[in-house]
Amino acid sequence: MVGADRGLNAMLTWFDRAEQHAAQRKFDASGFLSTKFAPDMLPLVKQVQIATDVVKGCMSRLAGEEVPTWVDDEKTFEDLRARVRRALDFVAASDAARVDAGETREIVLTLRNRDPLRFNGADYLRFWALPNFYFHLTTAYDLLRAGGGGERRQRAVH
């Protein structure tokens, strides 16, 4: 999947920086894991789970393979790192020729409470997988940036 390895590796760096930030400011970094912007929003842990699920789902579907199921049981930054590394390993182990051959393959996504979505492989990658991956990747980054260790910053009034 285009850019997945770069995005996933960046995520590993963000986790390190979040923990360093927490250590410097003497607060528990685990607070980042449940951070969300709104009450009905998914927290950081779920954003990471979804981003990695999109990667393994995309690679599998384009290769014409069954999408593996991963248990969503991460509770620490180390758990999240392990999941991200697992996704990186999945990308590295994927047969590039089989994935590329999926460009014209029909991809059918069954979603809750909706009719199935149908794509050819190229459109699935371009209009579903990549936007979803980057949305959840960016949201994870934004949650870590906004979390800032629970510090409240006052804006100067001009």
Side-chain angles (χ1 to χ4, degrees):
M1 195 169 115
V2 179
D5 54 344
R6 287 182 73 181
L8 294 170
N9 278 309
M11 197 179 287
L12 293 172
T13 300
W14 304 337
F15 298 161
D16 293 343
R17 289 189 180 156
E19 288 184 316
Q20 291 165 2
H21 178 78
Q24 289 171 348
R25 289 170 179 70
K26 298 183 181 14
F27 68 87
D28 184 2
S30 67
F32 282 115
L33 302 174
S34 59
T35 301
K36 50 176 134 174
F37 290 125
D40 64 343
M41 183 181 184
L42 298 171
L44 174 68
V45 168
K46 195 65 180 167
Q47 301 297 332
V48 174
Q49 291 167 345
I50 294 171
T52 55
D53 284 347
V54 170
V55 170
K56 72 177 169 73
C58 180
M59 300 299 285
S60 298
R61 289 182 184 100
L62 289 175
E65 300 168 357
E66 188 72 27
V67 178
T69 302
W70 294 353
V71 178
D72 294 337
D73 61 356
E74 292 78 18
K75 299 193 182 343
T76 66
F77 273 112
E78 202 49 49
D79 293 342
L80 290 178
R81 281 185 190 90
R83 185 178 182 110
V84 170
R85 286 185 189 112
R86 188 175 180 190
L88 284 164
D89 291 345
F90 192 86
V91 170
S94 295
D95 182 336
R98 288 187 64 149
V99 172
D100 289 347
E103 184 176 346
T104 58
R105 178 177 283 109
E106 182 182 37
I107 308 290
V108 180
L109 297 178
T110 305
L111 305 174
R112 282 184 306 200
N113 305 321
R114 289 180 73 159
D115 291 335
L117 299 176
R118 297 181 183 284
F119 303 91
N120 68 39
D123 286 346
Y124 164 71
L125 175 66
R126 201 171 322 140
F127 301 121
W128 183 266
L130 286 173
N132 276 284
F133 173 69
Y134 285 113
F135 172 82
H136 292 286
L137 182 76
T138 302
T139 301
Y141 175 81
D142 292 343
L143 287 168
L144 288 167
R145 288 284 300 179
E151 296 175 16
R152 297 272 183 213
R153 295 189 180 161
Q154 293 285 332
R155 284 195 158 165
V157 178
H158 297 284

